[in-house]
Amino acid sequence: MKFIIYCRKSTDTEDKQLLSLESQEQELMQVADSQGLNIVKVLTESMSAKAPGRPIFNEMIAMIMSGQADAILCWKIDRLTRNPVDGGQLQWLLQKGNIQCIQTYEKTYLPHDN
């Protein structure tokens, strides 16, 4: 699988987030190294996910749609999405198999999962 590491830190709740973008990237690179994951790109975004339209998130989706990547590694699932439009898009791509795996620090999501 070809993984994109996606790190996001919201701009509206700076004091509530535990890991900085740099810390997320470091931790996820360690996960990738320990599991031998093929990382094709690291994307970082500093923007709220409460509404659709994040440019870096959209870049990641475009890479998946074009076949440049087929898996995502992120700190927690809420780093990917906090709105129903982006969440639905990710779920659809996972169900269709465009995304083979969404892996977080705690859990792995696969196409056959609900």
mmCIF file of all heavy atoms in Angstrom, residues 21-61:
data_model
loop_
_atom_site.group_PDB
_atom_site.id
_atom_site.type_symbol
_atom_site.label_atom_id
_atom_site.label_comp_id
_atom_site.label_asym_id
_atom_site.label_seq_id
_atom_site.Cartn_x
_atom_site.Cartn_y
_atom_site.Cartn_z
ATOM 1 N N LEU A 21 1.798 19.730 15.008
ATOM 2 C CA LEU A 21 1.973 19.101 13.691
ATOM 3 C C LEU A 21 3.293 18.333 13.636
ATOM 4 O O LEU A 21 3.346 17.207 13.130
ATOM 5 C CB LEU A 21 1.925 20.157 12.583
ATOM 6 C CG LEU A 21 0.562 20.787 12.328
ATOM 7 C CD1 LEU A 21 0.692 21.952 11.351
ATOM 8 C CD2 LEU A 21 -0.426 19.755 11.818
ATOM 9 N N GLU A 22 4.349 18.943 14.169
ATOM 10 C CA GLU A 22 5.660 18.296 14.148
ATOM 11 C C GLU A 22 5.649 17.009 14.975
ATOM 12 O O GLU A 22 6.219 15.994 14.569
ATOM 13 C CB GLU A 22 6.744 19.253 14.667
ATOM 14 C CG GLU A 22 6.944 20.489 13.812
ATOM 15 C CD GLU A 22 5.909 21.596 14.079
ATOM 16 O OE1 GLU A 22 5.215 21.574 15.130
ATOM 17 O OE2 GLU A 22 5.766 22.478 13.208
ATOM 18 N N SER A 23 5.000 17.049 16.134
ATOM 19 C CA SER A 23 4.915 15.861 16.986
ATOM 20 C C SER A 23 4.105 14.756 16.319
ATOM 21 O O SER A 23 4.482 13.586 16.364
ATOM 22 C CB SER A 23 4.287 16.207 18.331
ATOM 23 O OG SER A 23 5.090 17.109 19.041
ATOM 24 N N GLN A 24 2.975 15.130 15.692
ATOM 25 C CA GLN A 24 2.175 14.137 14.971
ATOM 26 C C GLN A 24 3.022 13.463 13.896
ATOM 27 O O GLN A 24 3.029 12.237 13.769
ATOM 28 C CB GLN A 24 0.959 14.786 14.305
ATOM 29 C CG GLN A 24 -0.136 15.203 15.241
ATOM 30 C CD GLN A 24 -1.295 15.836 14.494
ATOM 31 O OE1 GLN A 24 -1.762 15.324 13.490
ATOM 32 N NE2 GLN A 24 -1.767 16.966 14.998
ATOM 33 N N GLU A 25 3.728 14.282 13.118
ATOM 34 C CA GLU A 25 4.546 13.734 12.027
ATOM 35 C C GLU A 25 5.628 12.805 12.563
ATOM 36 O O GLU A 25 5.840 11.716 12.030
ATOM 37 C CB GLU A 25 5.164 14.870 11.212
ATOM 38 C CG GLU A 25 5.930 14.371 10.004
ATOM 39 C CD GLU A 25 6.463 15.486 9.135
ATOM 40 O OE1 GLU A 25 5.947 16.628 9.192
ATOM 41 O OE2 GLU A 25 7.417 15.211 8.373
ATOM 42 N N GLN A 26 6.311 13.216 13.621
ATOM 43 C CA GLN A 26 7.364 12.371 14.215
ATOM 44 C C GLN A 26 6.804 11.036 14.685
ATOM 45 O O GLN A 26 7.371 9.978 14.404
ATOM 46 C CB GLN A 26 8.021 13.078 15.400
ATOM 47 C CG GLN A 26 9.035 14.102 15.038
ATOM 48 C CD GLN A 26 9.673 14.706 16.289
ATOM 49 O OE1 GLN A 26 9.084 14.745 17.370
ATOM 50 N NE2 GLN A 26 10.889 15.179 16.134
ATOM 51 N N GLU A 27 5.701 11.076 15.420
ATOM 52 C CA GLU A 27 5.087 9.848 15.944
ATOM 53 C C GLU A 27 4.643 8.933 14.798
ATOM 54 O O GLU A 27 4.849 7.716 14.850
ATOM 55 C CB GLU A 27 3.888 10.181 16.841
ATOM 56 C CG GLU A 27 4.251 10.909 18.109
ATOM 57 C CD GLU A 27 4.870 10.003 19.164
ATOM 58 O OE1 GLU A 27 4.662 8.781 19.121
ATOM 59 O OE2 GLU A 27 5.568 10.536 20.042
ATOM 60 N N LEU A 28 4.031 9.516 13.772
ATOM 61 C CA LEU A 28 3.531 8.709 12.661
ATOM 62 C C LEU A 28 4.675 8.136 11.820
ATOM 63 O O LEU A 28 4.573 7.013 11.311
ATOM 64 C CB LEU A 28 2.562 9.522 11.812
ATOM 65 C CG LEU A 28 1.259 9.895 12.531
ATOM 66 C CD1 LEU A 28 0.437 10.859 11.696
ATOM 67 C CD2 LEU A 28 0.455 8.659 12.897
ATOM 68 N N MET A 29 5.763 8.873 11.691
ATOM 69 C CA MET A 29 6.929 8.338 10.985
ATOM 70 C C MET A 29 7.505 7.139 11.744
ATOM 71 O O MET A 29 7.945 6.164 11.139
ATOM 72 C CB MET A 29 7.992 9.409 10.773
ATOM 73 C CG MET A 29 7.613 10.449 9.728
ATOM 74 S SD MET A 29 7.280 9.774 8.082
ATOM 75 C CE MET A 29 8.924 9.313 7.569
ATOM 76 N N GLN A 30 7.484 7.210 13.070
ATOM 77 C CA GLN A 30 7.947 6.070 13.869
ATOM 78 C C GLN A 30 7.048 4.861 13.660
ATOM 79 O O GLN A 30 7.531 3.738 13.541
ATOM 80 C CB GLN A 30 8.006 6.447 15.352
ATOM 81 C CG GLN A 30 9.125 7.393 15.678
ATOM 82 C CD GLN A 30 9.117 7.835 17.145
ATOM 83 O OE1 GLN A 30 8.273 7.424 17.930
ATOM 84 N NE2 GLN A 30 10.068 8.687 17.496
ATOM 85 N N VAL A 31 5.725 5.078 13.608
ATOM 86 C CA VAL A 31 4.783 3.987 13.332
ATOM 87 C C VAL A 31 5.076 3.398 11.959
ATOM 88 O O VAL A 31 5.160 2.174 11.793
ATOM 89 C CB VAL A 31 3.313 4.486 13.402
ATOM 90 C CG1 VAL A 31 2.349 3.443 12.857
ATOM 91 C CG2 VAL A 31 2.941 4.861 14.827
ATOM 92 N N ALA A 32 5.251 4.265 10.968
ATOM 93 C CA ALA A 32 5.523 3.809 9.604
ATOM 94 C C ALA A 32 6.811 3.003 9.541
ATOM 95 O O ALA A 32 6.864 1.943 8.899
ATOM 96 C CB ALA A 32 5.589 5.005 8.655
ATOM 97 N N ASP A 33 7.852 3.491 10.195
ATOM 98 C CA ASP A 33 9.136 2.782 10.211
ATOM 99 C C ASP A 33 9.013 1.425 10.886
ATOM 100 O O ASP A 33 9.503 0.425 10.379
ATOM 101 C CB ASP A 33 10.215 3.616 10.913
ATOM 102 C CG ASP A 33 10.669 4.816 10.095
ATOM 103 O OD1 ASP A 33 10.415 4.845 8.869
ATOM 104 O OD2 ASP A 33 11.276 5.730 10.693
ATOM 105 N N SER A 34 8.336 1.386 12.030
ATOM 106 C CA SER A 34 8.234 0.128 12.775
ATOM 107 C C SER A 34 7.391 -0.912 12.045
ATOM 108 O O SER A 34 7.605 -2.105 12.207
ATOM 109 C CB SER A 34 7.676 0.374 14.176
ATOM 110 O OG SER A 34 6.311 0.720 14.121
ATOM 111 N N GLN A 35 6.450 -0.456 11.215
ATOM 112 C CA GLN A 35 5.581 -1.386 10.498
ATOM 113 C C GLN A 35 5.970 -1.554 9.038
ATOM 114 O O GLN A 35 5.305 -2.276 8.300
ATOM 115 C CB GLN A 35 4.127 -0.939 10.612
ATOM 116 C CG GLN A 35 3.625 -0.980 12.043
ATOM 117 C CD GLN A 35 2.166 -0.618 12.156
ATOM 118 O OE1 GLN A 35 1.407 -0.680 11.196
ATOM 119 N NE2 GLN A 35 1.747 -0.236 13.345
ATOM 120 N N GLY A 36 7.019 -0.876 8.612
ATOM 121 C CA GLY A 36 7.480 -0.995 7.232
ATOM 122 C C GLY A 36 6.500 -0.455 6.205
ATOM 123 O O GLY A 36 6.381 -0.993 5.107
ATOM 124 N N LEU A 37 5.803 0.638 6.550
ATOM 125 C CA LEU A 37 4.817 1.217 5.645
ATOM 126 C C LEU A 37 5.502 2.058 4.569
ATOM 127 O O LEU A 37 6.482 2.753 4.838
ATOM 128 C CB LEU A 37 3.823 2.086 6.420
ATOM 129 C CG LEU A 37 3.061 1.400 7.556
ATOM 130 C CD1 LEU A 37 2.122 2.395 8.231
ATOM 131 C CD2 LEU A 37 2.304 0.186 7.068
ATOM 132 N N ASN A 38 4.958 2.003 3.365
ATOM 133 C CA ASN A 38 5.461 2.774 2.235
ATOM 134 C C ASN A 38 4.792 4.153 2.254
ATOM 135 O O ASN A 38 3.631 4.288 1.899
ATOM 136 C CB ASN A 38 5.144 2.031 0.930
ATOM 137 C CG ASN A 38 5.536 2.821 -0.299
ATOM 138 O OD1 ASN A 38 6.388 3.693 -0.264
ATOM 139 N ND2 ASN A 38 4.897 2.509 -1.412
ATOM 140 N N ILE A 39 5.539 5.174 2.664
ATOM 141 C CA ILE A 39 5.011 6.545 2.740
ATOM 142 C C ILE A 39 5.364 7.264 1.448
ATOM 143 O O ILE A 39 6.529 7.413 1.108
ATOM 144 C CB ILE A 39 5.600 7.310 3.950
ATOM 145 C CG1 ILE A 39 5.365 6.553 5.257
ATOM 146 C CG2 ILE A 39 5.026 8.734 4.006
ATOM 147 C CD1 ILE A 39 3.921 6.301 5.604
ATOM 148 N N VAL A 40 4.324 7.713 0.721
ATOM 149 C CA VAL A 40 4.572 8.420 -0.537
ATOM 150 C C VAL A 40 4.525 9.936 -0.375
ATOM 151 O O VAL A 40 5.073 10.662 -1.194
ATOM 152 C CB VAL A 40 3.583 7.971 -1.645
ATOM 153 C CG1 VAL A 40 3.806 6.510 -1.992
ATOM 154 C CG2 VAL A 40 2.140 8.215 -1.261
ATOM 155 N N LYS A 41 3.878 10.407 0.709
ATOM 156 C CA LYS A 41 3.792 11.858 0.911
ATOM 157 C C LYS A 41 3.397 12.130 2.362
ATOM 158 O O LYS A 41 2.641 11.386 2.952
ATOM 159 C CB LYS A 41 2.731 12.449 -0.032
ATOM 160 C CG LYS A 41 2.621 13.943 -0.009
ATOM 161 C CD LYS A 41 3.040 14.523 -1.316
ATOM 162 C CE LYS A 41 2.929 16.036 -1.266
ATOM 163 N NZ LYS A 41 3.164 16.668 -2.500
ATOM 164 N N VAL A 42 3.915 13.219 2.889
ATOM 165 C CA VAL A 42 3.516 13.716 4.201
ATOM 166 C C VAL A 42 2.816 15.049 3.970
ATOM 167 O O VAL A 42 3.388 15.957 3.367
ATOM 168 C CB VAL A 42 4.722 13.895 5.145
ATOM 169 C CG1 VAL A 42 4.282 14.517 6.464
ATOM 170 C CG2 VAL A 42 5.441 12.572 5.370
ATOM 171 N N LEU A 43 1.577 15.135 4.437
ATOM 172 C CA LEU A 43 0.804 16.358 4.288
ATOM 173 C C LEU A 43 0.466 16.905 5.665
ATOM 174 O O LEU A 43 0.062 16.149 6.548
ATOM 175 C CB LEU A 43 -0.497 16.079 3.527
ATOM 176 C CG LEU A 43 -0.349 15.587 2.090
ATOM 177 C CD1 LEU A 43 -1.704 15.197 1.514
ATOM 178 C CD2 LEU A 43 0.297 16.654 1.229
ATOM 179 N N THR A 44 0.644 18.206 5.838
ATOM 180 C CA THR A 44 0.285 18.842 7.098
ATOM 181 C C THR A 44 -0.643 20.016 6.807
ATOM 182 O O THR A 44 -0.483 20.712 5.806
ATOM 183 C CB THR A 44 1.520 19.331 7.881
ATOM 184 O OG1 THR A 44 2.224 20.281 7.091
ATOM 185 C CG2 THR A 44 2.428 18.173 8.247
ATOM 186 N N GLU A 45 -1.591 20.214 7.704
ATOM 187 C CA GLU A 45 -2.577 21.273 7.505
ATOM 188 C C GLU A 45 -2.917 21.890 8.851
ATOM 189 O O GLU A 45 -3.159 21.181 9.824
ATOM 190 C CB GLU A 45 -3.826 20.669 6.861
ATOM 191 C CG GLU A 45 -4.841 21.654 6.388
ATOM 192 C CD GLU A 45 -5.735 21.073 5.304
ATOM 193 O OE1 GLU A 45 -6.245 19.954 5.474
ATOM 194 O OE2 GLU A 45 -5.896 21.754 4.282
ATOM 195 N N SER A 46 -2.959 23.198 8.882
ATOM 196 C CA SER A 46 -3.338 23.920 10.087
ATOM 197 C C SER A 46 -4.640 24.657 9.780
ATOM 198 O O SER A 46 -4.637 25.789 9.297
ATOM 199 C CB SER A 46 -2.233 24.902 10.466
ATOM 200 O OG SER A 46 -2.549 25.540 11.667
ATOM 201 N N MET A 47 -5.738 23.934 10.006
ATOM 202 C CA MET A 47 -7.045 24.468 9.633
ATOM 203 C C MET A 47 -8.133 23.650 10.313
ATOM 204 O O MET A 47 -8.003 22.439 10.459
ATOM 205 C CB MET A 47 -7.203 24.396 8.116
ATOM 206 C CG MET A 47 -8.417 25.041 7.564
ATOM 207 S SD MET A 47 -8.337 25.032 5.748
ATOM 208 C CE MET A 47 -9.660 26.163 5.407
ATOM 209 N N SER A 48 -9.200 24.287 10.692
ATOM 210 C CA SER A 48 -10.333 23.579 11.270
ATOM 211 C C SER A 48 -10.952 22.649 10.220
ATOM 212 O O SER A 48 -10.962 22.956 9.028
ATOM 213 C CB SER A 48 -11.393 24.575 11.752
ATOM 214 O OG SER A 48 -12.552 23.884 12.160
ATOM 215 N N ALA A 49 -11.478 21.518 10.687
ATOM 216 C CA ALA A 49 -12.142 20.569 9.788
ATOM 217 C C ALA A 49 -13.652 20.601 9.979
ATOM 218 O O ALA A 49 -14.352 19.684 9.550
ATOM 219 C CB ALA A 49 -11.604 19.165 10.036
ATOM 220 N N LYS A 50 -14.172 21.634 10.600
ATOM 221 C CA LYS A 50 -15.606 21.709 10.855
ATOM 222 C C LYS A 50 -16.421 21.915 9.581
ATOM 223 O O LYS A 50 -17.598 21.603 9.541
ATOM 224 C CB LYS A 50 -15.909 22.824 11.847
ATOM 225 C CG LYS A 50 -15.454 22.486 13.257
ATOM 226 C CD LYS A 50 -15.811 23.596 14.213
ATOM 227 C CE LYS A 50 -15.322 23.257 15.606
ATOM 228 N NZ LYS A 50 -15.550 24.339 16.556
ATOM 229 N N ALA A 51 -15.786 22.440 8.535
ATOM 230 C CA ALA A 51 -16.476 22.654 7.260
ATOM 231 C C ALA A 51 -15.620 22.087 6.130
ATOM 232 O O ALA A 51 -14.397 22.042 6.229
ATOM 233 C CB ALA A 51 -16.712 24.144 7.040
ATOM 234 N N PRO A 52 -16.254 21.634 5.050
ATOM 235 C CA PRO A 52 -15.479 21.139 3.898
ATOM 236 C C PRO A 52 -14.699 22.274 3.244
ATOM 237 O O PRO A 52 -14.979 23.441 3.453
ATOM 238 C CB PRO A 52 -16.549 20.602 2.943
ATOM 239 C CG PRO A 52 -17.870 20.848 3.560
ATOM 240 C CD PRO A 52 -17.679 21.536 4.870
ATOM 241 N N GLY A 53 -13.707 21.899 2.438
ATOM 242 C CA GLY A 53 -12.967 22.889 1.668
ATOM 243 C C GLY A 53 -11.530 23.095 2.088
ATOM 244 O O GLY A 53 -10.912 24.080 1.705
ATOM 245 N N ARG A 54 -10.954 22.153 2.858
ATOM 246 C CA ARG A 54 -9.551 22.287 3.238
ATOM 247 C C ARG A 54 -8.666 21.930 2.033
ATOM 248 O O ARG A 54 -8.787 20.858 1.473
ATOM 249 C CB ARG A 54 -9.228 21.353 4.406
ATOM 250 C CG ARG A 54 -9.886 21.768 5.694
ATOM 251 C CD ARG A 54 -9.725 20.728 6.772
ATOM 252 N NE ARG A 54 -10.606 19.596 6.470
ATOM 253 C CZ ARG A 54 -10.328 18.326 6.723
ATOM 254 N NH1 ARG A 54 -9.192 17.993 7.292
ATOM 255 N NH2 ARG A 54 -11.188 17.381 6.427
ATOM 256 N N PRO A 55 -7.755 22.812 1.633
ATOM 257 C CA PRO A 55 -6.938 22.572 0.438
ATOM 258 C C PRO A 55 -6.027 21.347 0.545
ATOM 259 O O PRO A 55 -5.887 20.588 -0.432
ATOM 260 C CB PRO A 55 -6.115 23.846 0.269
ATOM 261 C CG PRO A 55 -6.549 24.796 1.315
ATOM 262 C CD PRO A 55 -7.533 24.136 2.206
ATOM 263 N N ILE A 56 -5.385 21.120 1.677
ATOM 264 C CA ILE A 56 -4.459 19.995 1.806
ATOM 265 C C ILE A 56 -5.233 18.677 1.864
ATOM 266 O O ILE A 56 -4.830 17.678 1.254
ATOM 267 C CB ILE A 56 -3.535 20.163 3.033
ATOM 268 C CG1 ILE A 56 -2.789 21.504 2.974
ATOM 269 C CG2 ILE A 56 -2.578 19.003 3.164
ATOM 270 C CD1 ILE A 56 -1.893 21.689 1.765
ATOM 271 N N PHE A 57 -6.359 18.664 2.564
ATOM 272 C CA PHE A 57 -7.227 17.492 2.576
ATOM 273 C C PHE A 57 -7.658 17.156 1.145
ATOM 274 O O PHE A 57 -7.625 15.999 0.730
ATOM 275 C CB PHE A 57 -8.458 17.749 3.462
ATOM 276 C CG PHE A 57 -9.448 16.620 3.468
ATOM 277 C CD1 PHE A 57 -9.298 15.549 4.337
ATOM 278 C CD2 PHE A 57 -10.545 16.637 2.612
ATOM 279 C CE1 PHE A 57 -10.211 14.507 4.348
ATOM 280 C CE2 PHE A 57 -11.470 15.606 2.620
ATOM 281 C CZ PHE A 57 -11.298 14.535 3.485
ATOM 282 N N ASN A 58 -8.059 18.176 0.390
ATOM 283 C CA ASN A 58 -8.478 17.963 -1.001
ATOM 284 C C ASN A 58 -7.328 17.439 -1.858
ATOM 285 O O ASN A 58 -7.543 16.635 -2.766
ATOM 286 C CB ASN A 58 -9.068 19.243 -1.580
ATOM 287 C CG ASN A 58 -10.390 19.602 -0.926
ATOM 288 O OD1 ASN A 58 -11.075 18.747 -0.350
ATOM 289 N ND2 ASN A 58 -10.760 20.868 -0.989
ATOM 290 N N GLU A 59 -6.106 17.892 -1.590
ATOM 291 C CA GLU A 59 -4.927 17.367 -2.296
ATOM 292 C C GLU A 59 -4.773 15.871 -2.006
ATOM 293 O O GLU A 59 -4.487 15.083 -2.914
ATOM 294 C CB GLU A 59 -3.673 18.124 -1.867
ATOM 295 C CG GLU A 59 -2.398 17.607 -2.495
ATOM 296 C CD GLU A 59 -1.135 18.289 -1.964
ATOM 297 O OE1 GLU A 59 -1.226 19.333 -1.292
ATOM 298 O OE2 GLU A 59 -0.041 17.751 -2.226
ATOM 299 N N MET A 60 -4.976 15.485 -0.755
ATOM 300 C CA MET A 60 -4.878 14.071 -0.386
ATOM 301 C C MET A 60 -5.934 13.252 -1.128
ATOM 302 O O MET A 60 -5.629 12.188 -1.681
ATOM 303 C CB MET A 60 -5.046 13.914 1.124
ATOM 304 C CG MET A 60 -5.037 12.471 1.584
ATOM 305 S SD MET A 60 -5.228 12.310 3.376
ATOM 306 C CE MET A 60 -6.906 12.926 3.593
ATOM 307 N N ILE A 61 -7.163 13.746 -1.168
ATOM 308 C CA ILE A 61 -8.243 13.035 -1.866
ATOM 309 C C ILE A 61 -7.910 12.912 -3.351
ATOM 310 O O ILE A 61 -8.114 11.848 -3.953
ATOM 311 C CB ILE A 61 -9.598 13.748 -1.646
ATOM 312 C CG1 ILE A 61 -9.998 13.699 -0.167
ATOM 313 C CG2 ILE A 61 -10.680 13.153 -2.535
ATOM 314 C CD1 ILE A 61 -10.203 12.302 0.405
#
